[in-house]
Amino acid sequence: MNQQRQKPHYSMCQGFLIPMGFPVTCFESGLNYNAQPEDNFIVTYPKCGTTWVQHIVWMLNHDGEPLPVGKDINLEVPHLEEVGAEFVAAMPSPRFIKTHLPFSFTPYCADAKYIYIARNPFDCVVSFYYHTKGFVKHYNFAEGTFNDFFECFIEGEVDWGDYFEHLLSWYDHRQDDNVLFITYEAMKADTPKHIREIANFLGSSYLDKLNNAEIFNSILKHTSFTSMSQDQSRWSSQRPKEMTPFIRKGEIGDWKNHFSEDQIARLSDKFRNKTAGTDIAMLWADLIPN
Ligand code: A3P
């Protein structure tokens, strides 16, 4: 007998599905934030390594100190659509701001900087599934299966919309001077190189800090998966005990433990169709099916 497909619950705002409990007024005002020349945005589709890079930039800005327990990364490097424009505008400059918006919706200033992190869609959907299942108050999807979530993801019926539209919107700008486009997988393959790249992009004063081995080593240590798995209240609100932790596995290829043959074929097809005429497949050559 066919079991009815479960769907996560969302609110709707300005054409975006957003997690229930996100203040709609903040989301709306976030879209209208007036980006400033010294602003630094960390931009991702959900589950592509946002928190990892939030912590890297926070530590760069705090001379290698890790975010202490009791602080919340989403207030320190706030999520624009969650806290709204007023909160962000009141922060001291230079600001570090998180957003999940596609390019055309992201507040733009030619002198602001944008770090975009992309992750392959196969691992992204798995990570997004556990995220959506775990934040019960936001999505009411505790009983949802991976198959249920996969259908929503492949239709683009999830918060912040279609993965491919998001990726394509920023990929088009990957060579802009004020955009640093990196992948989660490349960061995992060579983390020190990417921490340097991020610091270099932010400016020479950040890069100079990395000449201090103590600062560099501290950033490497405290932004590792193992360290960030500790004291997770720093990264997210609490999830029910039976759910996976927010910093979950941090692996490349966990999708192989979740996808059916049919799902592999369907997401591969969508990947091919959506990215035709671009080099996006090269970002993940050998990692995902073709
Ligand atoms: P998994 O669910 O695959 O483990 P975001 O911060 O955008 O929500 O992304 C969350 C994903 O990044 C999760 O993936 C999480 O485990 C992973 N992640 C977070 N910190 C990490 C780190 N320091 N190193 C590697 N992966 C990390």
Side-chain angles (χ1 to χ4, degrees):
M1 199 168 56
N2 258 353
Q3 275 209 321
Q4 184 138 38
R5 181 147 75 86
Q6 300 215 23
K7 286 185 172 189
H9 292 230
Y10 302 101
S11 311
M12 173 66 98
C13 181
Q14 305 274 327
F16 286 92
L17 296 175
I18 63 173
M20 294 186 297
F22 255 53
V24 170
T25 49
C26 289
F27 193 95
E28 280 173 342
S29 84
L31 293 178
N32 293 315
Y33 171 67
N34 199 359
Q36 300 297 307
E38 289 200 328
D39 287 352
N40 303 290
F41 289 84
I42 292 149
V43 191
T44 53
Y45 186 78
K47 309 320 289 176
C48 292
T50 335
T51 319
W52 189 7
V53 175
Q54 280 173 284
H55 196 208
I56 290 172
V57 300
W58 194 90
M59 288 191 70
L60 276 168
N61 203 30
H62 289 82
D63 298 330
E65 285 300 313
L67 187 72
V69 177
K71 285 201 186 260
D72 175 349
I73 196 75
N74 287 308
L75 294 178
E76 298 289 316
V77 182
H79 187 177
L80 177 64
E81 304 91 288
E82 187 171 10
V83 300
E86 215 176 300
F87 182 101
V88 172
M91 290 164 62
S93 188
R95 301 180 184 80
F96 293 88
I97 306 160
K98 157 182 165 179
T99 179
H100 287 320
L101 293 169
F103 182 84
S104 63
F105 286 89
T106 302
Y108 189 78
C109 171
D111 293 320
K113 292 181 177 167
Y114 300 83
I115 302 174
Y116 187 83
I117 309 109
R119 187 181 193 185
N120 81 74
F122 290 77
D123 285 322
C124 177
V125 59
V126 170
S127 183
F128 211 172
Y129 161 63
Y130 286 106
H131 170 103
T132 305
K133 193 176 165 75
F135 284 114
V136 180
K137 276 194 268 179
H138 280 321
Y139 301 104
N140 192 15
F141 186 64
E143 306 300 326
T145 65
F146 177 70
N147 293 348
D148 292 332
F149 188 76
F150 179 87
E151 295 305 322
C152 299
F153 180 86
I154 202 159
E155 294 299 330
E157 290 172 0
V158 290
D159 31 349
W160 284 275
D162 185 81
Y163 166 94
F164 292 97
E165 299 299 329
H166 199 286
L167 174 61
L168 285 160
S169 79
W170 280 96
Y171 189 75
D172 277 351
H173 292 273
R174 70 194 179 285
Q175 278 156 354
D176 292 2
D177 286 345
N178 63 345
V179 174
L180 175 67
F181 186 101
I182 51 185
T183 66
Y184 175 90
E185 292 80 5
M187 280 186 53
K188 272 198 69 102
D190 192 342
T191 310
K193 176 179 157 206
H194 285 85
I195 291 176
R196 268 192 201 288
E197 218 171 287
I198 290 168
N200 184 41
F201 177 71
L202 293 175
S204 54
S205 61
Y206 295 94
L207 191 57
D208 287 349
K209 294 185 193 199
L210 297 184
N211 290 330
N212 179 327
E214 215 174 299
I215 293 182
F216 200 175
N217 289 334
S218 174
I219 295 177
L220 262 177
K221 176 177 167 197
H222 291 284
T223 62
S224 69
F225 181 83
T226 310
S227 294
M228 287 187 58
S229 298
Q230 312 296 313
D231 303 315
Q232 294 211 22
S233 61
R234 293 177 294 165
W235 325 123
S236 82
S237 53
Q238 227 180 348
R239 297 150 69 98
K241 275 196 183 54
E242 64 278 16
M243 297 300 177
T244 53
F246 182 76
I247 306 292
R248 188 183 62 93
K249 263 194 171 178
E251 287 177 2
I252 300 167
D254 188 34
W255 64 268
K256 291 177 188 156
N257 301 317
H258 295 79
F259 273 59
S260 67
E261 289 299 318
D262 178 61
Q263 288 166 339
I264 294 174
R266 286 171 61 207
L267 191 56
S268 299
D269 269 359
K270 183 159 184 187
F271 187 101
R272 257 191 306 277
N273 291 335
K274 285 285 199 175
T275 64
T278 75
D279 290 331
I280 288 180
M282 300 301 291
L283 295 175
W284 300 296
D286 302 335
L287 287 182
I288 57 176
N290 48 44

